Amino acid sequence: MKGLRKYLTPFAPDQSGAVSVLYELGGLTVIIDAGGCTGNVCGFDEPRWFDKRSAIFSAGLRDMDAILGRDDALIQKIVDISDAFEANFVALVGTPVPAVIATDYQGICHILEKKIHKPVIYVPTTGVGLYDEGMEMAYLALFEKFANNKPTSQTEAILGVTPLDFTHAFSLPTFNNFEDFGCVGSLKKLYVASPAALKAAKRLHNRYGIDYEVRIPGLSLDIHDVHHILFIGQQVIGHTLRQQLAIPFDIASFFMMKPTLREKGDVHLIEEDDLIELVKKNDYDMIIGDPIFKDMLQDYQGQYLELIHFAVSGRRDFS
């Protein structure tokens, strides 16, 4: 049945992906909702919330605020909050409410910048997309507003890293500091670690001539005596492993699948049954993926290598 889920919990939505990009940049993030979306971000979708706080607020929209489109009330709330917090910028993050009432983000940003004398950006997420769509929008908004070519000692950096995909640290800078965006134009090379960062990397290449490579430096697996692998998860992680292992290696994902990275055998998944049928009809020696997918594949007899994907299973312990 279309849309039926017997195993998977809801994936992290687009507003959660946007917040994951903004989280450590020292900004004031305002989620334009009645409170529920913000609660989901902080309570389920953002693993850093429990040990590294960020200035994230709900607009606290009431029914009549939404029905009447009371932008003046929203603006005044943000002005009051910004007076109480030191922040590098203000970011407005969309949810289903502003999407339905066609909130004029650009107009609100223009008014706010005059009132608070700080940069204001907006991420037009709708709450119905997936986390990587929100990440992509956030990167584009940040670079459009703040990208510059200030001098930096760094020559390379990794773009597209958040805890929704990755659980380990990286040796190169990963754009988790606000200052990194102002120096991006001085970089020589970007490593694109997520499909959500590819569009931003292309724009930076066109603007500053920065070379980019879609690969995660340092990522490797020591695998032997395996002839056919299925990777379930974020496409660039799978792409990096496939290049390293050089054996038959299929990638399947419920998330972004960029055409330039796809090869024969790769599958964009929509329903749970898509994954179940894929495994049934192929003789995979090994499957690599989040543990939650293992529960779906109870008839699979090969090796299963668990690789946590927080955007997939972060809500599992709360369901």
Side-chain angles (χ1 to χ4, degrees):
M1 182 185 297
K2 185 176 180 180
L4 175 65
R5 288 195 172 189
K6 297 183 290 184
Y7 303 97
L8 296 176
T9 51
F11 299 144
D14 53 6
Q15 67 259 19
S16 296
V19 172
S20 74
V21 172
L22 298 166
Y23 198 85
E24 297 184 40
L25 302 182
L28 178 64
T29 302
V30 181
I31 301 176
I32 314 301
D33 71 337
C37 294
T38 303
N40 283 333
V41 169
C42 299
F44 302 107
D45 296 332
E46 182 44 69
R48 288 167 291 188
W49 183 253
F50 301 102
D51 56 18
K52 185 183 293 185
R53 294 304 173 93
S54 182
I56 302 173
F57 292 87
S58 167
L61 297 177
R62 305 277 70 86
D63 290 349
M64 293 308 295
D65 294 332
I67 292 169
L68 299 176
R70 290 173 174 165
D71 291 345
D72 55 339
L74 172 63
I75 290 168
Q76 188 56 52
K77 286 181 179 181
I78 297 173
V79 170
D80 293 341
I81 295 171
S82 66
D83 287 341
F85 286 86
E86 289 292 331
N88 294 320
F89 61 94
V90 173
L92 311 181
V93 176
T95 69
V97 173
V100 169
I101 65 175
T103 293
D104 180 8
Y105 289 113
Q106 192 168 0
I108 293 174
C109 289
H110 181 70
I111 294 171
L112 278 172
E113 287 190 331
K114 287 188 171 183
K115 287 181 174 289
I116 66 176
H117 307 294
K118 293 177 183 176
V120 183
I121 64 172
Y122 68 92
V123 186
T125 44
T126 63
V128 298
L130 295 176
Y131 82 101
D132 48 358
E133 298 172 57
M135 287 177 59
E136 182 177 76
M137 293 180 191
Y139 282 125
L140 292 173
L142 286 163
F143 285 121
E144 181 64 29
K145 190 74 170 180
F146 302 116
N148 212 319
N149 56 355
K150 297 176 183 177
T152 176
S153 60
Q154 300 291 338
T155 59
E156 299 179 338
I158 304 176
L159 182 61
V161 175
T162 84
L164 293 183
D165 284 331
F166 299 96
T167 58
H168 64 282
F170 292 83
S171 57
L172 293 175
T174 56
F175 285 89
N176 284 334
N177 295 307
F178 178 67
E179 293 76 15
D180 294 337
F181 289 84
C183 301
V184 66
S186 297
L187 295 175
K188 301 299 182 184
K189 185 173 183 177
L190 283 171
Y191 290 96
V192 180
S194 166
L198 184 55
K199 188 177 289 187
K202 289 180 178 178
R203 292 193 183 181
L204 291 169
H205 173 74
N206 292 336
R207 184 185 300 183
Y208 298 110
I210 305 169
D211 291 332
Y212 67 87
E213 182 178 351
V214 184
R215 180 174 68 86
I216 303 166
L219 180 65
S220 64
L221 285 177
D222 187 18
I223 293 176
H224 303 281
D225 301 321
V226 176
H227 305 287
H228 196 183
I229 293 176
L230 173 65
F231 175 87
I232 313 167
Q234 196 251 61
Q235 188 186 23
V236 176
I237 298 176
H239 172 72
T240 302
L241 294 175
R242 174 158 58 197
Q243 289 182 314
Q244 175 215 338
L245 294 172
I247 59 176
F249 191 111
D250 298 341
I251 299 171
S253 181
F254 288 94
F255 306 107
M256 284 185 181
M257 293 284 282
K258 296 295 185 180
T260 53
L261 304 181
R262 290 186 70 162
E263 296 186 7
K264 184 179 179 180
D266 292 353
V267 178
H268 184 220
L269 304 168
I270 304 297
E271 308 291 346
E272 288 185 346
D273 286 345
D274 295 340
L275 177 56
I276 294 170
E277 292 302 315
L278 177 67
V279 173
K280 281 183 178 178
K281 71 180 184 181
N282 288 280
D283 187 21
Y284 293 116
D285 301 300
M286 173 180 284
I287 295 177
I288 305 171
D290 190 273
I292 200 169
F293 295 127
K294 188 176 182 180
D295 295 342
M296 299 170 54
L297 307 173
Q298 297 174 5
D299 295 332
Y300 175 67
Q301 300 299 313
Q303 301 178 60
Y304 195 100
L305 180 61
E306 296 184 355
L307 185 67
I308 299 295
H309 191 175
F310 196 86
V312 170
S313 59
R315 299 186 180 197
R316 186 178 191 182
D317 292 338
F318 301 96
S319 61

